[in-house]
Amino acid sequence: MFESLTEKFNSVFRSLAGRGRITEANISDAMRDVRKALLEADVSYNVVKQFCKDVTQAAMGADVIKSLHPGQVMVKIVSDELTKLMGPVDTRIYFVSPGPTVIMLAGLQGCGKTTTAAKLAKYLVAKGKKPLLVADDLQRPAAIEQLIILGQQIDVDVYSEDSKNAVKVAKNSLKHAKEHDHNVVIIDTAGRLHIDQEMMTEVANVAKTVSPHQIYLVCDAMTGQDAVTSAKEFNERLELDGVILTKLDGDARGGAALSVKAVTGKPIKFIGIGEKLEKLEEFHPDRMASRILGMGDVVTLVEKAQEHFDVKEAEKLQVKMAKGSFGFDDFLKQMQAVKKMGGIKDMMKMMPGMGGQLKDVDLDGVELKQTEAIVYSMTPAERRDPDIIDSSRRRRVAAGAGVAVNDVSSLVKTFKRSRDMMKAISGGSFGGLKSLLSGGFNMGALNQMMSGGKKIKQRSKRKKVIRRRGKIKKR
């Protein structure tokens, strides 16, 4: 997400590094590069023009703090202006009493409306609500079946009818919701490949009939300015309450995220960052600005950790580490929790300065699956006490996991080094899950395990090359 834009911004800031002070000349040079970067990211031209003007005014009026370099001052100024551009924060869903609260989703075909409806339902379930999904996209083939399947996956009821009348289906769904004590109704409406009069008339009639309390436009972030254009037209017909940006995990240039609020005046409520149904995040402009500038997003990381890690379990794990009794079973628990948080790569991207270093690194692919296979091939005793894994046990584990013996040896050695290091620093799981839950994070042990995984991959490749040549070298 925003990798290209992040690189260009960082290049601009590096060009200012070492300058004695901010001057009109170097601000002009920097803004020329910023303007180019934003336009390449498909940000609306008028938004770019105003943004560069605001940054220039802020920079020329800023006193350079003696302890900071001009590049650091510019980072702060650009971050503030990006936050203003995408803000303010408005992630609230306004619920009515008595219910049900009606939320209608609109958008073009292919923007991810149906999946987003299910994601939003899952989000509301976690907030203690009882949502009802309404399959009111009667145009796209299999749209109803798709929503029913998604509803089953998250254990949420789906209302549907064998009908071609979208207004009737929406109206009947409200009656069904009241009869079955659903306090939120999420209506998935039909879209088209492009905005046309028929689609607009249908969604407008649905809105007029059911009087939704919130109307959210779902936009595909990968379409850049096209998403902003459609948002503007939908807003003129439907009086939107907010926007949900989808596919921000893909090759999104970022233009929609930076433009849609400025063009429509409507807040971005949520962002979709993956296909899985838990991949829906509340939108925080300041955190997004921090990610765009490569400064990470520690606040979101801490929130995810608090959601997926049990504090008491983390404390027990910390005691184990202090005693040096941390085993592979404990490691697996942490791997599973990290997966729920989005994987190691997603976590590392939220760490300041780490995003750019992970561009071509695969931390959540084959190597982690291989690690899991190796651990699951161990006996319970071996997982509890890796020290008993001798050469014969390693051969058995390797055969069970379908990997080379050297891969098992490398993992065990790396694990022991990490365990000993964690015992020495007594920093908690992965160097401080307890501190992560309270707002801090020590990456030492995690980096150690990551580097071990990298060595496994490199050694495996090297061994294959040696075997092909028929020259087995002693290590």
Side-chain angles (χ1 to χ4, degrees):
M1 177 168 53
F2 303 115
E3 282 87 354
S4 178
L5 189 58
T6 299
E7 287 179 11
K8 288 182 171 64
F9 268 123
N10 286 333
S11 176
V12 170
F13 299 141
R14 283 194 299 270
S15 71
L16 289 172
R19 303 289 179 91
R21 61 193 178 90
I22 291 180
T23 66
E24 190 171 348
N26 56 40
I27 284 296
S28 179
D29 292 340
M31 282 303 99
R32 183 176 61 250
D33 293 335
V34 167
R35 184 180 298 107
K36 182 180 178 182
L38 291 172
L39 290 173
E40 287 178 354
D42 214 11
V43 181
S44 167
Y45 173 76
N46 290 332
V47 173
V48 172
K49 185 178 178 181
Q50 186 61 46
F51 176 79
C52 290
K53 181 180 177 181
D54 293 341
V55 171
T56 300
Q57 289 177 348
M60 295 309 298
D63 293 327
V64 179
I65 302 171
K66 291 182 180 180
S67 62
L68 296 177
H69 297 293
Q72 293 171 314
V73 174
M74 281 300 294
V75 170
K76 176 66 167 62
I77 292 171
V78 172
S79 177
D80 290 344
E81 293 302 326
L82 281 173
T83 301
K84 284 186 199 174
L85 183 65
M86 296 183 287
V89 179
D90 187 4
T91 60
R92 291 171 295 176
I93 296 177
Y94 299 91
F95 299 104
V96 299
S97 183
T101 299
V102 181
I103 299 173
M104 189 174 97
L105 302 184
L108 296 179
Q109 192 176 109
C111 67
K113 269 198 316 299
T114 302
T115 304
T116 299
K119 288 180 178 181
L120 188 58
K122 183 176 177 65
Y123 168 86
L124 291 172
V125 168
K127 299 291 184 183
K129 301 297 181 181
K130 185 184 177 183
L132 173 70
L133 287 166
V134 180
D136 207 26
D137 181 352
L138 310 180
Q139 302 295 327
R140 181 169 63 87
I144 296 175
E145 289 80 1
Q146 181 188 359
L147 192 62
I148 290 172
I149 291 171
L150 292 173
Q152 290 171 346
Q153 290 176 7
I154 58 176
D155 197 24
V156 169
D157 292 341
V158 177
Y159 181 83
S160 64
E161 289 184 19
D162 185 13
S163 170
K164 291 296 181 182
N165 189 331
V167 173
K168 178 185 173 185
V169 172
K171 186 176 180 179
N172 290 343
S173 72
L174 298 190
K175 182 180 178 182
H176 178 87
K178 291 176 182 177
E179 291 174 351
H180 294 81
D181 299 321
H182 292 281
N183 47 28
V184 181
V185 175
I186 302 172
I187 302 176
D188 176 30
T189 62
R192 298 289 192 281
L193 294 176
H194 55 83
I195 291 175
D196 61 25
Q197 189 60 40
E198 183 182 0
M199 175 188 67
M200 284 299 190
T201 299
E202 181 177 293
V203 294
N205 287 339
V206 170
K208 183 178 180 181
T209 301
V210 301
S211 300
H213 302 98
Q214 301 269 282
I215 302 178
Y216 297 149
L217 179 69
V218 181
C219 285
D220 181 349
M222 294 178 71
T223 60
Q225 287 194 56
D226 288 341
V228 179
T229 301
S230 64
K232 188 176 180 181
E233 294 193 39
F234 270 102
N235 188 45
E236 290 173 354
R237 291 293 298 270
L238 292 176
E239 296 184 12
L240 302 175
D241 295 285
V243 176
I244 300 176
L245 285 178
T246 63
K247 306 179 187 179
L248 272 170
D249 59 310
D251 187 23
R253 289 174 289 178
L258 295 175
S259 303
V260 71
K261 167 59 173 60
V263 171
T264 66
K266 304 301 179 182
I268 301 173
K269 292 280 190 178
F270 301 94
I271 54 173
I273 54 168
E275 294 181 4
K276 294 182 180 179
L277 296 180
E278 64 270 13
K279 295 290 188 175
L280 185 73
E281 289 184 1
E282 295 178 353
F283 183 76
H284 296 273
D286 53 340
R287 301 184 195 181
M288 186 57 66
S290 184
R291 291 191 201 184
I292 291 172
L293 297 179
M295 297 187 294
D297 185 358
V298 176
V299 177
T300 299
L301 179 60
V302 171
E303 288 178 351
K304 288 190 175 211
Q306 290 173 332
E307 181 180 347
H308 294 290
F309 286 97
D310 188 305
V311 178
K312 291 183 179 179
E313 284 295 321
E315 288 175 350
K316 290 179 183 177
L317 207 52
Q318 189 171 7
V319 173
K320 280 189 173 185
M321 288 181 176
K323 294 179 179 179
S325 59
F326 179 77
F328 272 114
D329 279 324
D330 302 306
F331 173 61
L332 275 179
K333 287 180 182 178
Q334 301 314 305
M335 280 186 67
Q336 290 160 359
V338 167
K339 278 185 175 181
K340 289 178 182 178
M341 290 175 64
I344 292 178
K345 193 167 185 177
D346 283 351
M347 287 177 62
M348 295 293 284
K349 281 183 178 179
M350 295 183 194
M351 298 301 298
M354 291 301 298
Q357 300 178 32
L358 301 172
K359 186 178 179 182
D360 300 312
V361 180
D362 179 16
L363 298 176
D364 300 316
V366 177
E367 288 177 11
L368 285 183
K369 290 179 181 177
Q370 176 176 295
T371 299
E372 276 191 323
I374 292 172
V375 175
Y376 281 125
S377 295
M378 297 176 184
T379 65
E382 289 166 348
R383 281 185 241 162
R384 283 194 300 271
D385 184 10
D387 291 323
I388 69 173
I389 305 177
D390 56 19
S391 57
S392 63
R393 288 175 182 265
R394 291 179 189 187
R395 286 194 294 271
R396 193 204 73 250
V397 171
V403 300
V405 175
N406 191 55
D407 293 337
V408 178
S409 299
S410 297
L411 177 63
V412 172
K413 287 177 183 177
T414 302
F415 183 85
K416 287 180 180 179
R417 285 199 305 269
S418 301
R419 182 192 59 188
D420 293 342
M421 183 186 70
M422 288 186 281
K423 179 182 178 181
I425 62 176
S426 294
S429 170
F430 276 145
L433 271 181
K434 185 180 178 183
S435 64
L436 171 59
L437 293 169
S438 60
F441 196 67
N442 185 328
M443 296 300 296
L446 180 55
N447 284 331
Q448 180 76 4
M449 291 302 293
M450 285 167 51
S451 65
K454 194 172 182 182
K455 287 175 184 176
I456 291 172
K457 186 175 182 180
Q458 291 171 343
R459 287 172 180 167
S460 296
K461 285 185 176 179
R462 184 180 174 189
K463 189 169 183 180
K464 289 175 184 176
V465 171
I466 292 173
R467 283 177 174 171
R468 281 199 297 268
R469 292 175 182 170
K471 298 177 182 179
I472 301 176
K473 297 180 180 180
K474 292 183 180 180
R475 298 186 182 276

